Amino acid sequence: MCPGSVYGETTMSGIRAVAEEVEWHVFSPTVVNEVRGGINRSAMHHWFYGTCPSSTPFNGEPGTVCPQVPPFSSTSTNDLDEEVGTTIDGYDDLTVVKGRHSIKMGLGVERHRLNNSDESMAQGNITYASSQDFINNALADYNFVGQLTLGGERRTVITSYAEDTWKA
């Protein structure tokens, strides 16, 4: 039996946690079974700081609303891209050695979970048609997108494999 390991590391964008376990069983000098599994979780939080200050817009939801006034340069909103991914996997390999052949076959199962949102912060724009409309407070357009929750994407991959390594 090979001992597993569990560790965590801090990255620039979050915390990554990994755990793994491997176990071998020797049936005979020519037949070996290996079972291994693990989990990997990492969270990414990518901030983009725009040129507009945070505010509470007209609807009372905290977020960022930026004015757009031609011919002046456009402003940009704050944004947060969040991705929290977890992968759980397991493999079972059987190796059989016969003469000059080494045959390895097995089964693998991987479960991928990704929680993702690129609209983690509420944001919007106030648009004026001209600088004179801005002075007169004559609004041309207003849009606001509220904060979206993390969306879950899931996938399971099941695969089998066989390999024959022949030595001359």
Side-chain angles (χ1 to χ4, degrees):
M1 178 172 165
C2 174
S5 62
V6 177
Y7 66 91
E9 67 182 43
T10 302
T11 62
M12 289 179 56
S13 60
I15 295 177
R16 179 172 178 238
V18 177
E20 58 188 9
E21 182 68 34
V22 179
E23 185 173 332
W24 290 279
H25 183 78
V26 179
F27 293 103
S28 72
T30 60
V31 180
V32 178
N33 189 52
E34 176 187 18
V35 177
R36 63 189 188 279
I39 184 169
N40 180 5
R41 180 173 175 82
S42 70
M44 184 205 63
H45 305 282
H46 181 254
W47 286 93
F48 171 77
Y49 296 100
T51 55
C52 288
S54 294
S55 62
T56 301
F58 307 118
N59 62 6
E61 185 176 345
T64 305
V65 175
C66 293
Q68 307 293 328
V69 183
F72 303 113
S73 298
S74 295
T75 54
S76 59
T77 59
N78 295 337
D79 199 7
L80 171 61
D81 181 14
E82 287 187 290
E83 290 184 11
V84 180
T86 304
T87 302
I88 302 167
D89 56 23
Y91 299 92
D92 189 359
D93 300 325
L94 179 67
T95 303
V96 178
V97 178
K98 270 205 179 287
R100 296 188 299 179
H101 294 272
S102 176
I103 302 166
K104 185 174 186 176
M105 62 194 91
L107 178 71
V109 178
E110 296 180 1
R111 175 72 172 163
H112 303 271
R113 300 182 304 194
L114 176 63
N115 297 323
N116 188 10
S117 178
D118 61 354
E119 297 291 342
S120 297
M121 296 180 65
Q123 56 187 332
N125 288 306
I126 298 174
T127 306
Y128 297 92
S130 66
S131 57
Q132 189 61 43
D133 285 349
F134 177 69
I135 292 170
N136 297 330
N137 199 22
L139 194 61
D141 188 29
Y142 171 75
N143 69 13
F144 185 80
V145 177
Q147 178 180 359
L148 299 177
T149 59
L150 292 174
E153 301 167 9
R154 307 290 184 256
R155 178 176 60 180
T156 302
V157 178
I158 301 172
T159 183
S160 60
Y161 45 90
E163 173 186 54
D164 182 6
T165 304
W166 180 72
K167 295 185 180 181

